Amino acid sequence: MTVETNAGRAYRHLRSKLLAGEFEPGTRLLYGPIGKELGISATPVREAVGQLVNEGLVDLVPQLGAIVRKIDRDELIELYEVREAIEPYAAARAAERATTKQLNQIKAQVDRMLALTDQLANSSSEFANKRMTAQFEKADFAFHMLIIEATGNQALARTAVRSHVLTRVFGIRRHRYDVATMRSTCDDHLQILTAIQAGDVKKSRSASATHISRGLKASLKAIDES
């Protein structure tokens, strides 16, 4: 049995918060308070931040320390180009290789996103709140990663993680979610899932490519408007 180190705990804690949108780009990560929150010293937090720096999620800035990275328009485009190279291929391979269990896991994420969309539609709010947004994005991220994992190609999965985490944290989270946006995402995911379930390699690839292209346009629109 492997015992998790304090640095490992801190890394998992910080990465989870980044994915949940709890640290906005430009936020300082203070080792002491984070360590206190976890009941550990600042040293393992500093080690964890070093891992996040290596992944491109955090910058070390002189006089300021660890800062959650901001991403500019050009880098966002580059990261989406990586996704365009990886994910349509992965969807095509998943159409050939996904097991029944994997298909059920992918469908569960779509069902969760649909339920959250209906929840917002039946509320009096125009936009999803922070909790709902975090849940929606968690299911969205899981959907994409489960498809990549369904290829059975571990090297592909490792390559995909960095680009998708970065766009998740710094790209897609730049705009607020209304019902129309959430439904559009769910519709795209259903198109991909249906094609994979049918074992249709061509449609799986095409549906994935279309979805990523739309995601890039939405993220660029949000950057330009801000």
Side-chain angles (χ1 to χ4, degrees):
M1 180 177 177
T2 302
V3 178
E4 186 175 35
T5 64
N6 285 339
R9 281 181 58 211
Y11 168 77
R12 185 165 51 83
H13 172 78
L14 290 171
R15 191 171 182 276
S16 175
K17 284 201 166 192
L18 281 166
L19 288 174
E22 294 183 36
F23 292 127
E24 292 292 331
T27 300
R28 290 182 66 190
L29 299 181
L30 303 175
Y31 304 146
I34 292 170
K36 188 174 182 180
E37 182 181 348
L38 293 171
I40 60 179
S41 71
T43 299
V45 177
R46 187 177 290 107
E47 292 176 23
V49 166
Q51 286 184 264
L52 296 171
V53 170
N54 290 337
E55 292 180 11
L57 298 175
V58 174
D59 283 333
L60 290 179
V61 180
Q63 313 303 321
L64 292 176
I67 306 293
V68 178
R69 280 198 65 207
K70 295 180 180 179
I71 190 169
D72 62 23
R73 198 177 194 278
D74 289 341
E75 187 172 359
L76 181 65
I77 292 172
E78 289 179 355
L79 292 169
Y80 266 92
E81 286 177 347
V82 174
R83 289 188 62 192
E84 287 173 342
I86 291 173
E87 294 189 50
Y89 173 84
R93 296 291 75 76
E96 296 174 326
R97 302 171 184 172
T99 65
T100 299
K101 180 180 179 180
Q102 288 170 329
L103 290 173
N104 288 338
Q105 289 173 332
I106 296 167
K107 182 178 182 297
Q109 303 309 318
V110 178
D111 289 343
R112 179 59 180 149
M113 294 173 73
L114 287 168
L116 288 165
T117 303
D118 289 340
Q119 185 180 330
L120 179 61
N122 294 326
S123 74
S124 58
S125 301
E126 181 180 0
F127 295 102
N129 59 28
K130 190 173 183 178
R131 179 193 61 80
M132 187 181 293
T133 296
Q135 291 180 1
F136 189 84
E137 292 192 336
K138 182 178 180 180
D140 189 2
F141 177 72
F143 171 86
H144 288 277
M145 291 311 303
L146 284 166
I147 289 174
I148 291 168
E149 290 168 7
T151 67
N153 187 321
Q154 296 304 311
L156 184 68
R158 287 193 298 270
T159 302
V161 166
R162 181 179 181 273
S163 63
H164 203 292
V165 166
L166 286 170
T167 52
R168 165 72 45 215
V169 175
F170 303 112
I172 300 171
R173 192 162 53 78
R174 289 179 179 271
H175 65 260
R176 292 186 293 177
Y177 288 97
D178 57 16
V179 172
T181 300
M182 292 168 77
R183 287 207 190 284
S184 176
T185 301
C186 290
D187 288 345
D188 280 2
H189 284 195
L190 281 169
Q191 291 285 334
I192 297 168
L193 173 60
T194 300
I196 292 174
Q197 288 173 324
D200 192 322
V201 171
K202 185 176 179 179
K203 285 186 179 179
S204 297
R205 186 191 298 271
S206 175
S208 178
T210 297
H211 177 52
I212 294 169
S213 177
R214 286 176 180 163
L216 174 59
K217 289 177 182 177
S219 293
L220 290 177
K221 183 173 183 287
I223 289 176
D224 292 342
E225 289 177 350
S226 67

